[in-house]
Amino acid sequence: DVKVTQSSRYLVKRTGEKVFLECVQDMDHENMFWYRQDPGLGLRLIYFSYDVKMKEKGDIPEGYSVSREKKERFSLILESASTNQTSMYLCASSLSQYYTGELFFGEGSRLTVL
Amino acid sequence: GIQVEQSPPDLILQEGANSTLRCNFSDSVNNLQWFHQNPWGQLINLFYIPSGTKQNGRLSATTVATERYSLLYISSSQTTDSGVYFCAVEHGNNRLAFGKGNQVVVIP
């Protein structure tokens, strides 16, 4: 079975802090994704990566950056956290770099920014 | 962009009942997936179904791509079926558009 592991289930940070969310997948998938989920807004794509060191902006990249130094690991970075970034963050991966394919999600990281 | 609408938004079922969830989308899509989000937030892939019909235990799904809709059937519902069901469609390279979800509560 595919396993996508997110480093923290729950985080509480202060405004202005730098936040790292880590995601690791164990199935040699090419694609990795970061979404955020908010009540009433559904899931929105922040960034995705189809290969090591490659990244593409999603629908809401402002305030975020990403890093993919190794194939299995995709990190989401909040350079200076703000209260409007309080949300559930979901990492996902899929096999092929040419299309999304079947998507596998991690358990999610619930971030609260005070 | 592409619109994905799911109905009904909320559904309460008695354990053992059957139900149908619907996903309509506004444009041609490359593929369609159904997910279940459990009460703890984990999203599980149920079906990868760009067209046709698939079955997995008590769940089945049908996508009619030419008419731009997909249906998810839950038969003999159990309390563990509670959660939110999401439909997502791929409309460009590596971009999925998600519906707002169907909130399902199964009561014993």
Side-chain angles (χ1 to χ4, degrees), chain A residues 9 31 33 35 37 40-43 45 48 50 56-59 88 90 94 96-107, chain B residues 30-31 33 35 37-48 84 86 88 90-101:
Chain A
R9 292 294 306 276
N31 286 335
F33 305 83
Y35 290 88
Q37 184 179 21
L41 296 176
L43 277 85
L45 180 64
F48 68 94
Y50 54 88
E56 292 277 347
K57 292 180 180 179
D59 300 317
M88 168 73 102
L90 294 159
S94 67
S96 172
Q97 64 178 228
Y98 301 111
Y99 55 93
T100 302
E102 194 171 358
L103 204 59
F104 297 89
F105 281 89
E107 292 181 316
Chain B
N30 299 329
N31 76 66
Q33 302 183 49
F35 298 89
Q37 187 169 38
N38 65 26
W40 296 272
Q42 171 86 59
L43 272 156
I44 303 296
N45 193 305
L46 297 175
F47 293 102
Y48 178 83
V84 184
F86 288 100
E90 183 168 2
H91 59 102
N93 283 351
N94 282 319
R95 292 180 184 272
L96 283 184
F98 284 79
K100 295 287 174 66

Side-chain angles (χ1 to χ4, degrees), chain A residues 13-99:
Chain A
K13 298 291 182 181
R14 297 211 174 271
T15 300
E17 280 192 85
K18 191 169 187 175
V19 182
F20 291 88
L21 299 178
E22 301 276 317
C23 176
V24 178
Q25 50 94 3
D26 67 355
M27 283 301 290
D28 203 34
H29 281 179
E30 303 284 350
N31 286 335
M32 295 190 76
F33 305 83
W34 276 106
Y35 290 88
R36 67 177 279 177
Q37 184 179 21
D38 301 286
L41 296 176
L43 277 85
R44 295 177 291 169
L45 180 64
I46 305 172
Y47 268 97
F48 68 94
S49 168
Y50 54 88
D51 201 351
V52 175
K53 296 193 186 295
M54 305 304 290
K55 61 184 179 185
E56 292 277 347
K57 292 180 180 179
D59 300 317
I60 51 162
E62 296 79 19
Y64 303 95
S65 62
V66 290
S67 172
R68 192 159 180 209
E69 296 296 319
K70 293 186 178 181
K71 190 175 185 179
E72 67 270 20
R73 188 179 299 269
F74 191 37
S75 302
L76 180 69
I77 303 153
L78 288 66
E79 293 288 343
S80 178
S82 62
T83 54
N84 63 12
Q85 292 178 309
T86 292
S87 186
M88 168 73 102
Y89 290 88
L90 294 159
C91 175
S93 71
S94 67
L95 180 61
S96 172
Q97 64 178 228
Y98 301 111
Y99 55 93

